[in-house]
């Protein structure tokens, strides 16, 4: 997602979110960071933990360096990725930016690209985060307004569970963090 204009508070929030999710990377994993942003923090910070990492985002320039491959893609429809290829798919602070009509197909693609036993790790703000984020962005102007105003939907755990189950995935963990304003979901194929 468009993370070019992040300020210090955005970076601190992102760093904490990354620390919550990155601990699920294991040695020899092949990981996908969907909506990795121009900074592709997960891939950059985790490059010594995984075997290879792929980042998809409409805002990156396609390139390959070391064990990281970046692909410019809008992350809609069929993803330009092999079947049963990834051990982990990460979607960090990105799901809320997708049009709701595109999300079921996205979950179907998770199932397609994951190996058996593979996991999807999602972080997304909860519905109770909406007024807080809007206040911080639009009134106090301490987080980037463009990021917050581009949120399409704030997901409940039950919505994530339903999307997972309809697409052959099972929710194995739900963990709230940042005072309940964000949630980590782990889905398994």
């Amino acid at each position: 997602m468009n993370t070019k204009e992040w300020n210090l508070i955005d970076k601190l929030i992102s760093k904490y979110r990354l620390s919550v999710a990155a601990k699920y990377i294991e040695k020899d994993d092949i990981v996908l960071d969907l909506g990795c942003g121009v900074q592709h923090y997960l891939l950059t910070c985790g490059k010594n933990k995984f075997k290879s990492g792929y980042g998809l985002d409409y805002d990156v320039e396609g390139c390959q360096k070391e064990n990281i491959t970046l692909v410019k893609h809008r992350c809609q429809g069929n993803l330009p990725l092999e079947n049963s290829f990834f051990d982990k798919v990460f979607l960090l602070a990105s799901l809320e930016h997708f049009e709701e009509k595109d999300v079921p197909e996205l979950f179907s693609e998770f199932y397609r690209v994951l190996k058996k036993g593979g996991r999807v790790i999602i972080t997304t703000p909860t519905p109770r985060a909406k007024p807080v984020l809007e206040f911080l962005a639009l009134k106090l102007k301490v987080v980037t307004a463009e990021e917050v105003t581009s949120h399409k939907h704030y997901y409940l755990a039950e919505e994530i569970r339903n999307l997972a189950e309809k697409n052959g995935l099972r929710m194995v963990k739900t963990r709230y963090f940042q005072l309940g304003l964000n949630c980590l979901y782990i889905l398994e194929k």
Side-chain angles (χ1 to χ4, degrees):
M1 298 297 139
N2 184 11
T3 53
K4 290 180 189 171
E5 305 301 322
W6 277 5
N7 64 34
L8 180 61
I9 302 296
D10 294 315
K11 289 177 185 174
L12 290 172
I13 291 169
S14 176
K15 186 174 181 178
Y16 182 72
R17 183 175 44 245
L18 178 65
S19 74
V20 169
K23 63 181 151 189
Y24 295 97
I25 298 173
E26 298 176 61
K27 186 177 187 249
D28 295 327
D29 273 349
I30 300 174
V31 302
L32 169 62
D33 186 4
L34 198 64
C36 63
V38 295
Q39 288 93 352
H40 45 83
Y41 282 135
L42 176 77
L43 299 174
T44 302
C45 295
K47 70 181 177 185
N48 295 324
K49 290 179 74 175
F50 54 71
K51 180 178 179 179
S52 59
Y54 294 77
L56 262 66
D57 197 295
Y58 66 86
D59 215 16
V60 298
E61 293 303 319
C63 70
Q64 185 167 7
K65 53 186 174 185
E66 299 176 38
N67 61 340
I68 297 173
T69 302
L70 299 177
V71 179
K72 186 177 187 80
H73 192 272
R74 290 211 63 83
C75 304
Q76 294 173 318
N78 292 335
L79 300 176
L81 304 166
E82 293 180 40
N83 295 344
S84 304
F85 186 72
F86 294 97
D87 298 291
K88 305 283 172 29
V89 173
F90 289 85
L91 193 67
L92 308 181
S94 295
L95 185 62
E96 64 275 12
H97 296 275
F98 286 90
E99 295 291 340
E100 282 184 81
K101 67 179 180 54
D102 296 329
V103 172
E105 186 174 18
L106 186 63
F107 274 65
S108 175
E109 284 293 282
F110 293 159
Y111 183 86
R112 183 183 68 77
V113 303
L114 275 174
K115 295 176 182 175
K116 184 173 174 50
R119 290 185 163 188
V120 180
I121 294 89
I122 299 171
T123 65
T124 188
T126 63
R128 65 188 278 202
K130 185 177 190 226
V132 174
L133 289 171
E134 288 175 350
F135 180 74
L136 292 172
L138 304 174
K139 299 290 184 199
L140 296 183
K141 300 184 187 314
V142 295
V143 296
T144 306
E146 182 182 2
E147 290 291 316
V148 173
T149 58
S150 70
H151 291 178
K152 309 286 191 266
H153 186 69
Y154 290 81
Y155 287 87
L156 297 167
E158 192 58 34
E159 292 174 287
I160 301 294
R161 181 183 316 282
N162 289 339
L163 284 161
E165 289 175 357
K166 287 178 182 175
N167 290 285
L169 303 167
R170 128 185 114 84
M171 188 181 296
V172 295
K173 184 171 187 162
T174 301
R175 177 183 164 224
Y176 294 92
F177 63 101
Q178 292 179 330
L179 304 173
L181 300 178
N182 270 287
C183 195
L184 167 80
Y185 301 101
I186 301 184
L187 315 175
E188 188 172 86
K189 178 175 178 178

